[in-house]
Amino acid sequence: MKIAILPGDGIGPEIVDQAVKVLNALDEKFELESAPVGGAGYAAHGHPLPEGTLALAKAADAILFGAVGDFKYDTLERALRPEQAILGLRKNLGLFANLRPAILYPELAGASTLKPEVVSGLDILIIRELTGDIYFGQPRGVRECPDGAFKGQREGFDTMRYAEGEIRRIAHVAFQAAQKRDKRLTSVDKANVLETFQFWRDIVTDVHKEYPDVALDHMYVDNAAMQLVRAPKRFDVLVTGNMFGDILSDQASMLTGSIGMLPSASLDANNKGLYEPSHGSAPDIAGKGVANPLATILSAAMMLRYSLGRAEQAGRIENAVKAVLKQGLRTPDIYEEGTTKVGTSQMGDAVVKALAQ
Ligand code: IPM
Ligand code: MG
């Protein structure tokens, strides 16, 4: 089994190092190969997704990804910006199904900005379509405004679109995920305004016929945003498009108090996947040794479960993470009075130690 390790920028390298430590501490050894990506890819090879990095990602059984983006690359033309690396990997590898769980660990109930009774026991799964929608729709660009009150001025535009097959395949992933959980699926759309998402609703409703054991409801995205803070526990699995999923998954992650805790998986049709923390590259704290590595370590666990068929090893890592939280160890992002503040590498070491116990 070969794992491509793509640390990226900002805190990426330091958090990925901790996940690598954990992988190396398992009984079974995996072949790990690293390559630069994002700003690091640009610095090394003049492109955020260098050819060698893409080739490695394609050849590997799974990809562990840190994060990309740094202030110093913000002025590059769009095609060379670090974000293009992750978008390019998703598109080139067909990673259309993004799984973003938001789980509140009981030890961290106080870290949420919401009242404990609203979030305690929270366990929801957001499934975000990842290779379609306004993110990739063509045409897009800046042109001369063809009509209306602003005719003749410059205008920016993008295209929102979903093909039937794209909606069907993500709907299947979502219904199947719901079947393995509480059998409730909420499809989030904007069918009251957007053609694309009326179509989305119609197709999801049609796919539902194949999953009569799952309860499906539809919700407009604005209402979903509200319900996510009002009564988040009413949800089990949510499925939505790329753009809405980007926003709602950040929102859902914060219900748990720390985005530093949440892993994610981006899967293709054969469950090959890219695994990354739900948070970004946090360049402001990079290199300081304070970043929370748990989201990346938990992403490695998801990788073992979904792409490498090693559910038992995945469970061992997840239990080790629970154990260090029980011991009271906290990186600054989840620190509360009465707990023990630790750095990135100490946290990684603690998980390795807990694995052995
Ligand atoms: C995410 C990120 C990316 C996205 C960016 C970095 C392109 O926000 O994975 O949610 O918008 O998909
Ligand atoms: Mg995002």
Side-chain angles (χ1 to χ4, degrees):
M1 293 274 179
K2 182 169 180 163
I3 303 171
I5 306 285
L6 312 183
D9 307 320
I11 59 171
E14 49 199 294
I15 53 178
V16 166
D17 276 352
Q18 309 313 311
V20 165
K21 267 189 209 168
V22 171
L23 285 171
N24 283 332
L26 296 173
D27 312 323
E28 188 177 350
K29 299 298 170 226
F30 301 96
E31 188 189 338
L32 309 178
E33 190 178 334
S34 314
V37 75
Y42 177 76
H45 302 286
H47 195 278
L49 183 54
E51 261 172 52
T53 302
L54 180 58
L56 170 66
K58 281 186 172 159
D61 296 293
I63 301 149
L64 186 65
F65 188 94
V68 291
D70 199 332
F71 311 126
K72 55 182 181 227
Y73 304 109
D74 280 354
T75 50
L76 288 173
E77 60 174 287
R78 179 171 306 281
L80 295 178
R81 281 193 215 157
E83 292 75 15
Q84 295 304 315
I86 186 68
L87 295 171
L89 282 166
R90 289 171 184 170
K91 199 64 177 176
N92 275 289
L93 299 179
L95 306 172
F96 69 90
N98 185 213
L99 277 47
R100 296 189 168 182
I103 295 171
L104 185 89
Y105 292 85
E107 292 83 4
L108 300 182
S112 177
T113 50
L114 296 188
K115 295 192 187 106
E117 63 265 30
V118 176
V119 288
S120 70
L122 182 81
D123 178 0
I124 62 183
L125 174 63
I126 296 200
I127 298 187
R128 169 189 176 194
E129 199 291 328
L130 208 54
T131 52
D133 203 351
I134 198 166
Y135 265 62
F136 292 97
Q138 294 288 347
R140 59 197 285 155
V142 176
R143 65 184 172 194
E144 188 177 302
C145 182
D147 49 27
F150 299 96
K151 189 173 174 187
Q153 290 188 6
R154 289 191 307 152
E155 73 172 3
F157 68 107
D158 295 273
T159 302
M160 178 175 270
R161 60 191 292 178
Y162 264 119
E164 180 171 344
E166 275 182 299
I167 304 171
R168 282 193 186 278
R169 67 181 180 179
I170 194 71
H172 281 291
V173 170
F175 281 113
Q176 285 165 23
Q179 277 181 329
K180 292 191 196 120
R181 296 171 45 106
D182 200 34
K183 298 188 169 55
R184 292 182 293 119
L185 177 65
T186 302
S187 173
V188 176
D189 62 39
K190 190 72 187 174
N192 49 346
V193 177
L194 301 170
E195 295 295 337
T196 309
F197 276 92
Q198 177 61 57
F199 185 57
W200 169 284
R201 185 177 285 215
D202 294 345
I203 301 300
V204 171
T205 303
D206 192 52
V207 174
H208 184 210
K209 291 180 194 147
E210 295 175 50
Y211 301 91
D213 54 329
V214 175
L216 170 70
D217 69 342
H218 302 276
M219 196 178 275
Y220 298 138
V221 61
D222 48 350
N223 186 24
M226 184 174 80
Q227 299 303 334
L228 265 177
V229 285
R230 195 186 71 86
K233 286 189 274 183
R234 78 177 288 291
F235 295 112
D236 178 23
V237 181
L238 289 102
V239 64
T240 190
N242 206 346
M243 182 80 256
F244 301 153
D246 179 43
I247 301 165
L248 292 182
S249 62
D250 262 30
Q251 190 188 346
S253 70
M254 253 302 137
L255 301 172
T256 69
S258 175
I259 197 165
M261 293 298 301
L262 300 177
S264 78
S266 303
L267 305 176
D268 75 1
N270 305 310
N271 285 331
K272 170 169 171 171
L274 178 150
Y275 298 81
E276 58 173 326
S278 281
H279 59 73
S281 55
D284 52 322
I285 58 163
K288 296 192 177 145
V290 296
N292 186 345
L294 294 178
T296 315
I297 291 170
L298 290 166
S299 297
M302 276 186 108
M303 174 175 79
L304 290 162
R305 174 172 291 117
Y306 287 99
S307 289
L308 303 179
R310 301 286 188 278
E312 198 218 303
Q313 304 291 331
R316 282 186 62 209
I317 295 178
E318 287 157 355
N319 285 334
V321 167
K322 285 182 196 150
V324 300
L325 291 176
K326 257 205 194 95
Q327 290 161 25
L329 304 184
R330 304 282 188 274
T331 42
D333 58 311
I334 50 174
Y335 175 76
E336 285 176 272
E337 234 184 78
T339 61
T340 311
K341 204 180 273 182
V342 296
T344 309
S345 162
Q346 281 169 289
M347 188 59 116
D349 292 339
V351 174
V352 168
K353 206 169 146 205
L355 261 183
Q357 279 155 10

